[in-house]
Amino acid sequence: MHITFLGGGNMGRALIGGLLKVGLQAQQISVIETNPETASQLKKDFAISAIASIDAMALDESENNIVVMAVKPQDFKAAAQALSGRLQASAAPLIVSIAAGIRTGDMSRWLGQTRCVRAMPNTPALIGKGITGLFAETSVSDADRNLAEVICNALGQTVWVDQEQLLDAVTALSGSGPAYVFAFLEALQAGGERLGLDSVTARKLAYATLEGASQLANHSADNASTLREKVTSKGGTTAAALAVLKDLDWQAALERALAAAAERSKAMGDELGQE
């Protein structure tokens, strides 16, 4: 297996580091990176091969050749069209795209091949705690799906969806989700400070509470609703706080936020997929 990354930015870098941790050798990974400083740092940190341009990439005859498209969505079309000239039917690699909004039909059209998997990771992937949504057309083989899953599991966990439009929901929930969590942490810390806690103490309490509650939920057989009920005593402090959130209709607000993100994801796919 040889994996070539087209782009060595934050997410590409996270994948490279993750793959090396799970057993791939440095000689099995190359990166095409036009920024000399970024390319030099990748070579220094990971001892992988750095290539200055698509024209210089080499593909062998192995069916396990893989290209990970880790470019910005707005740069994807031009990169894919440049790459298409390097792809020969006898050595057509599996293409795994982590570019947000780029649909498999557009990928295939620009690349001139259908061996494509679309992935939607999120930023906790940078510390190996991400989760990635995956989609591939039914024409993509089980072997290729397994390869894509192995690659993305280097970032954390993976889930497959059977309809591509569901990746808009994945984007809204887990792709953008870390930002919602960070906003919640901001508000939780600020609320503690307004009650008189110093910023260091409020931050420590907020962050540890979120991490602990998440771990408890992950390790419990109970669902989130049951866990919430268990910590909410009638007439107690938690009940008083939750009553305020209910009055503010915070759950509906969050659902509207996710719907807005999903709609924007769909619109981006429409915009980016134009001829």
Side-chain angles (χ1 to χ4, degrees):
M1 181 190 299
H2 189 91
I3 303 176
T4 301
F5 285 82
L6 189 51
N10 286 338
M11 203 61 73
R13 180 184 178 86
L15 265 172
I16 291 168
L19 288 166
L20 291 172
K21 285 180 181 178
V22 298
L24 249 69
Q25 302 301 306
Q27 60 266 31
Q28 292 178 274
I29 300 174
S30 302
V31 59
I32 300 172
E33 177 53 61
T34 57
N35 184 307
E37 188 174 320
T38 301
S40 177
Q41 194 63 50
L42 288 166
K43 289 172 67 176
K44 177 182 177 181
D45 292 344
F46 300 119
I48 61 174
S49 173
I51 304 166
S53 70
I54 289 174
D55 291 340
M57 80 178 286
L59 294 171
D60 62 29
E61 298 299 316
S62 170
E63 65 179 19
N64 282 337
N65 254 314
I66 300 164
V67 174
V68 176
M69 303 290 287
V71 296
K72 295 178 180 178
Q74 60 268 32
D75 298 331
F76 190 99
K77 180 178 179 180
Q81 290 176 330
L83 181 61
S84 67
R86 303 284 299 156
L87 304 181
Q88 299 178 4
S90 60
L94 169 65
I95 306 292
V96 178
S97 169
I98 61 173
I102 304 297
R103 294 172 181 151
T104 53
D106 297 317
M107 291 168 55
S108 297
R109 177 161 51 88
W110 296 329
L111 289 162
Q113 68 141 311
T114 59
R115 198 180 171 201
C116 300
V117 176
R118 182 179 166 191
M120 183 64 228
N122 63 0
T123 54
L126 299 174
I127 58 166
K129 296 293 185 179
I131 187 162
T132 301
L134 293 166
F135 171 79
E137 296 289 355
T138 54
S139 59
V140 174
S141 69
D142 288 342
D144 280 347
R145 289 168 184 265
N146 289 336
L147 282 174
E149 191 169 321
V150 166
I151 292 168
C152 293
N153 278 341
L155 298 175
Q157 303 178 63
T158 53
V159 296
W160 285 90
V161 294
D162 57 8
Q163 300 174 53
E164 186 163 14
Q165 61 264 36
L166 290 176
L167 279 184
D168 294 328
V170 170
T171 300
L173 178 55
S174 60
S176 298
Y180 318 149
V181 175
F182 300 149
F184 175 76
L185 280 172
E186 286 182 277
L188 200 59
Q189 179 180 340
E193 290 174 16
R194 278 194 290 273
L195 290 172
L197 296 169
D198 64 82
S199 61
V200 173
T201 301
R203 174 190 167 100
K204 186 172 184 179
L205 286 166
Y207 284 43
T209 298
L210 180 65
E211 181 178 9
S214 296
Q215 290 296 319
L216 176 60
N218 270 322
H219 289 88
S220 175
D222 294 329
N223 60 31
S225 177
T226 300
L227 290 172
R228 172 181 53 76
E229 290 170 359
K230 284 183 175 180
V231 79
T232 307
S233 301
K234 186 176 181 180
T237 59
T238 307
L242 291 177
V244 173
L245 293 176
K246 184 176 181 180
D247 286 344
L248 293 172
D249 206 6
W250 70 274
Q251 183 170 337
L254 185 57
E255 289 174 358
R256 289 196 299 272
L258 264 69
E263 181 59 32
R264 180 56 190 148
S265 176
K266 179 182 181 300
M268 286 176 60
D270 294 339
E271 294 164 9
L272 294 167
Q274 292 177 1
E275 293 286 354

